[in-house]
Amino acid sequence: MDGQPHILVVDDHKDIRDLVARYLRRHACRVSTADGGAEMRRVLETAAVDLVVLDLMMPGEDGLALCRHLRATTELPVIMLTAMAEETERIVGLEMGADDYLTKPFNPRELLARIRAVLRRTRALPPRRERAEEGVVRFDRWRFDRARRELIDESGVSVPLSTADFRLLCAFVDHRGMVLSRDQLLDLTAGREARVFDRSIDNQVSRLRRKIESDAKNPAIVKTHWGGGYSFVAKVEPA
């Protein structure tokens, strides 16, 4: 990894913040710490951060609320720390946009490995287009409201989107016109969890095409590039 990545550790337990900070600094990272949301925002306003390590259970604004805020305002990768091993809490964290998670107690060496893996993956992703698409947009005959997770056709009928459909459509809209490889699409839609839950990005694309294409067998919105991946070729405009 080139240079020293700047890691922001957000945890209300001082002993955990200090332990993680010392370890990461010994392994060529710059580290800032915050005990909650207010201090996290102050750090982000004054420093260029590369990744946020974020505790799930904190008083006041918890990790899920802060992760939601980070996803709405930045493109920073997030690793969640949680004392809860339940599947539901882990999945909810990933649904909020976390790139990875680690259950307490954890080995700092494993956290460092996760940080390096997430940074390698996110730095390899193609850049997003301008952020106008964060609101309501139109493409082809569709109106896509990301905040409401709604896809509405020209007659006003809403088409249901699964979580996988929604993530994939967001990835295509954010990177419209770019050829995205299968690995890039997996990283954009599910990160590390993709290798656990997703059988094939091709199946996801096929399901999405059945919902948005006039003829899924002859797609005009999501094009296939043999040996290269897929591209979203429809024009995207603010609604």
Side-chain angles (χ1 to χ4, degrees), residues 63-165:
L64 293 180
L66 293 177
C67 187
R68 189 182 300 112
H69 168 76
L70 288 169
R71 278 291 156 266
T73 58
T74 77
E75 296 179 25
L76 290 173
V78 176
I79 295 179
M80 298 285 284
L81 301 179
T82 173
M84 297 182 175
E86 288 86 348
E87 194 81 354
T88 300
E89 293 299 329
R90 178 177 61 79
I91 291 173
V92 168
L94 294 167
E95 288 287 318
M96 290 297 102
D99 296 270
D100 204 347
Y101 71 95
L102 199 57
T103 302
K104 295 178 179 178
F106 58 87
N107 187 320
R109 182 177 179 181
E110 182 177 3
L111 175 60
L112 178 62
R114 298 286 182 90
I115 288 171
R116 287 172 171 168
V118 169
L119 287 175
R120 280 196 301 269
R121 192 172 70 230
T122 54
R123 287 171 176 176
L125 293 175
R128 287 165 51 116
R129 298 294 193 188
E130 66 273 11
R131 299 184 66 91
E133 70 274 5
E134 291 297 333
V136 183
V137 298
R138 293 185 185 278
F139 65 90
D140 196 67
R141 67 186 190 281
W142 298 102
R143 180 177 179 271
F144 179 41
D145 186 335
R146 181 176 301 202
R148 295 177 178 270
R149 293 196 173 199
E150 288 183 343
L151 183 63
I152 303 169
D153 68 15
E154 53 199 351
S155 62
V157 176
S158 179
V159 175
L161 292 173
S162 68
T163 296
D165 293 335

Side-chain angles (χ1 to χ4, degrees), residues 43-61:
V43 173
L44 293 175
E45 287 173 358
T46 59
V49 171
D50 296 300
L51 181 146
V52 179
V53 176
L54 180 61
D55 186 34
L56 175 65
M57 299 301 293
M58 291 187 292
E61 286 183 286

Side-chain angles (χ1 to χ4, degrees), residues 182-197:
R182 289 167 176 81
D183 284 345
Q184 287 175 330
L185 284 169
L186 283 170
D187 286 333
L188 287 166
T189 55
R192 189 175 67 87
E193 292 302 296
R195 276 59 183 178
V196 179
F197 293 119

Side-chain angles (χ1 to χ4, degrees), residues 18-49:
D18 292 347
L19 171 67
V20 171
R22 285 197 302 271
Y23 186 84
L24 295 180
R25 285 171 182 143
R26 288 202 306 269
H27 291 81
C29 294
R30 290 179 295 135
V31 183
S32 296
T33 61
D35 61 7
E39 194 168 352
M40 179 191 81
R41 291 181 176 89
R42 284 197 292 271
V43 173
L44 293 175
E45 287 173 358
T46 59
V49 171

